[in-house]
Amino acid sequence: MTARIVFDLDGTLIDSAPDIQGVANAVLQDMGVEPISLNDTRSFIGEGIHVLVSKVRAARDIPDSAQEVMLDAFIARYDEAVTLTVLYPGVRDALETLARTHRLGICTNKLYRPCAAVLKHLELDGFFASVWGGDNPLGRKPDPSALLAAFEALGDGPPIYVGDSEVDAETARRASIPFFLFTEGYRKQSVDTMHHDVAFGNFEDLPELVETHIRQL
């Protein structure tokens, strides 16, 4: 049976926090403000660039009036923020295995252009038939609209959403889609407090977990 598998991006397939930290700190440096840490950056990722910039501002007591200026400065640098980003171990092999039988997509709160840029840089773009960024017209996660549209674009077959965060878990819950939780990403809560159908910490295990799930349907 062919499944439709949609992935989150940051914190799920890729560890992009070092690049995002670099962009944030370049913006802060231009403002004469102290940088944020990598741990701070990881905790700020997941709800889209507008929220990330708001959290950066809050961490450095920067007023609301600077939001749009900082947002524009961040976006201007974001497409090039790919050089420090890495795949989580086992991701490429898992995608190669899954793509032989199943149809794959992306639904992320990352803006589409930076999403496309990092997928191309890491040579992942060929795996995904449907890619939805956070600036799509349907809205950002946890609104499930874009996730449902991503599945619709992949045709028929049982759906699976793979993500790492509380936002991803809530999106899957609202969409009534089975959720596979990657436990080594950017989540803030413990695994047992988060909604999920399957939890895994190693992408080497994902293809067999998918096949097991499909067999049980």
Side-chain angles (χ1 to χ4, degrees):
M1 185 184 300
T2 298
R4 299 171 292 163
I5 309 170
V6 175
F7 295 85
D8 175 52
L9 187 58
D10 300 277
T12 299
L13 297 177
I14 63 174
D15 182 5
S16 55
D19 271 316
I20 294 174
Q21 179 196 24
V23 172
N25 284 342
V27 173
L28 292 173
Q29 183 178 31
D30 287 349
M31 300 174 67
V33 178
E34 290 294 311
I36 59 171
S37 71
L38 190 57
N39 284 338
D40 286 339
T41 306
R42 288 195 172 101
S43 73
F44 296 164
I45 294 171
E47 298 176 82
I49 190 172
H50 296 77
V51 175
L52 187 146
V53 170
S54 295
K55 290 180 177 180
V56 171
R57 284 195 301 99
R60 290 297 174 263
D61 295 320
I62 300 171
D64 294 353
S65 58
Q67 175 74 12
E68 292 305 315
V69 171
M70 291 181 65
L71 184 61
D72 289 345
F74 199 106
I75 291 172
R77 294 173 167 89
Y78 206 4
D79 290 1
E80 305 301 321
V82 299
T83 57
L84 301 178
T85 296
V86 297
L87 297 177
Y88 284 105
V91 163
R92 190 176 303 280
D93 287 346
L95 293 177
E96 288 176 350
T97 299
L98 292 168
R100 294 187 191 114
T101 307
H102 309 295
R103 294 186 295 276
L104 312 183
I106 294 282
C107 183
T108 174
N109 277 343
K110 195 183 194 78
L111 299 178
Y112 178 81
R113 281 180 47 180
C115 170
V118 76
L119 289 175
K120 182 177 180 180
H121 175 75
L122 295 171
E123 298 181 344
L124 295 182
D125 47 322
F127 288 112
F128 304 108
S130 178
V131 177
W132 290 73
D135 46 350
N136 75 81
L138 301 180
R140 296 192 303 272
K141 300 178 296 184
D143 185 317
S145 301
L147 179 62
L148 291 170
F151 281 113
E152 184 176 358
L154 294 176
D156 297 323
I160 296 171
Y161 184 44
V162 182
D164 71 295
S165 72
E166 293 81 1
V167 171
D168 296 326
E170 176 62 13
T171 307
R173 187 192 69 78
R174 293 187 190 183
S176 299
I177 296 292
F179 181 56
F180 283 34
L181 172 63
F182 176 55
T183 61
E184 305 308 301
Y186 301 156
R187 65 183 169 82
K188 304 169 187 66
Q189 299 178 18
S190 62
V191 172
D192 58 0
T193 64
M194 292 178 61
H195 164 77
H196 64 276
D197 298 274
V198 174
F200 70 102
N202 190 327
F203 267 89
E204 291 179 0
D205 300 328
L206 182 59
E208 182 55 36
L209 290 171
V210 167
E211 299 307 321
T212 299
H213 173 77
I214 292 172
R215 286 194 296 269
Q216 293 172 348
L217 295 177

